[in-house]
Amino acid sequence: MRITVFGATGSVGRRVVTEAIERGHHVTAVARDAARFAELPAAATARTGNAANADDVAALSAGQDLVISTTRPAPGSERDLVTTAEALLDGLARTGVRLLLVGGAGSLIVPDTGCHLVDDPRYMPAAYRDIALACGDQLEVCRTDTAVDWTYLSPPAQLEPGERTGHFRLGGDELLVDAAGHSRISLADLAVALLDEAETPRHSRTRFTAAY
């Protein structure tokens, strides 16, 4: 496939670019800062662009099979997640290209309480509450869209560096936890889950999650 990745130099984006290239896909890796292109695999086509600009999204998705967005705002700019989702959907409505959006875990339902993760201090440190709430609104922007074939991936409570195992569980709107109550996945395995969905779509216009 021909895949455009926005946020390609971030912690998730770099793994996604690498995973896609290793699977034989042609990747256009997009970042706002060209100085960070050195962090990308040599096989990627590096382009500057901004996922929050609908014109950039339209231009960089034209002729592609898929757009993946893994962007994250700076602290204090959490609401940018919402405007970026709107720009992505606007730009992709012009080109008809599918969207895979890596979002947040805050709107997942905690199985033992039925509340949202953002309201559960066991999983949500206070410092991350603002971005978790913004991610919930980001998901709602997708859910109200009817023009784009989108998929939203919520990571589990913990997303951290680690090995690529290729073994994890998939879920829907409920937080996945193990027998000890932990909810986690490595960045590398989140990229695997994302590329699996890219290659074999199973969650069109809905949200899914992945965890060990």
Side-chain angles (χ1 to χ4, degrees):
M1 290 189 292
R2 298 178 302 277
I3 301 173
T4 294
V5 180
F6 284 96
T9 57
S11 58
V12 175
R14 290 197 309 274
R15 272 82 172 185
V16 169
V17 170
T18 299
E19 180 72 22
I21 288 172
E22 289 180 350
R23 295 187 186 209
H25 301 298
H26 302 282
V27 178
T28 299
V30 183
R32 290 180 294 177
D33 183 1
R36 298 190 63 183
F37 286 161
E39 303 171 21
L40 296 169
T45 300
R47 298 282 301 276
T48 56
N50 187 352
N53 184 309
D55 291 337
D56 279 4
V57 173
L60 291 163
S61 66
Q64 300 293 87
D65 299 303
L66 174 69
V67 164
I68 297 174
S69 180
T70 66
T71 64
R72 275 292 178 271
S77 300
E78 290 84 3
R79 300 301 302 175
D80 287 355
L81 286 171
V82 178
T83 55
T84 298
E86 291 170 343
L88 284 162
L89 293 165
D90 182 356
L92 293 176
R94 307 178 199 175
T95 60
V97 175
R98 185 162 59 107
L99 173 65
L100 285 182
L101 179 58
V102 179
S107 58
L108 290 168
I109 297 169
V110 180
D112 64 349
T113 64
C115 72
H116 290 107
L117 182 145
V118 69
D119 297 318
D120 192 326
R122 294 175 299 172
Y123 299 109
M124 179 54 58
Y128 295 107
R129 183 173 172 80
D130 286 347
I131 194 166
L133 290 169
C135 285
D137 292 338
Q138 176 193 46
L139 174 58
E140 289 308 308
V141 167
C142 292
R143 284 175 166 166
T144 59
D145 180 84
T146 59
V148 176
D149 184 4
W150 58 269
T151 297
Y152 188 98
L153 172 57
S154 283
Q158 291 180 287
L159 179 60
E160 55 201 8
E163 65 176 329
R164 180 193 188 282
T165 70
H167 299 291
F168 44 80
R169 296 175 292 153
L170 298 181
D173 289 325
E174 189 171 272
L175 182 73
L176 294 175
V177 297
D178 63 19
H182 300 137
S183 175
R184 55 175 295 271
I185 198 170
S186 71
L187 289 159
D189 276 336
L190 189 79
V192 174
L194 197 66
L195 266 297
D196 286 350
E197 177 67 23
E199 293 175 346
T200 308
R202 298 169 58 188
H203 301 93
S204 177
R205 291 183 175 160
T206 191
R207 183 252 296 276
F208 77 107
T209 187
Y212 297 132

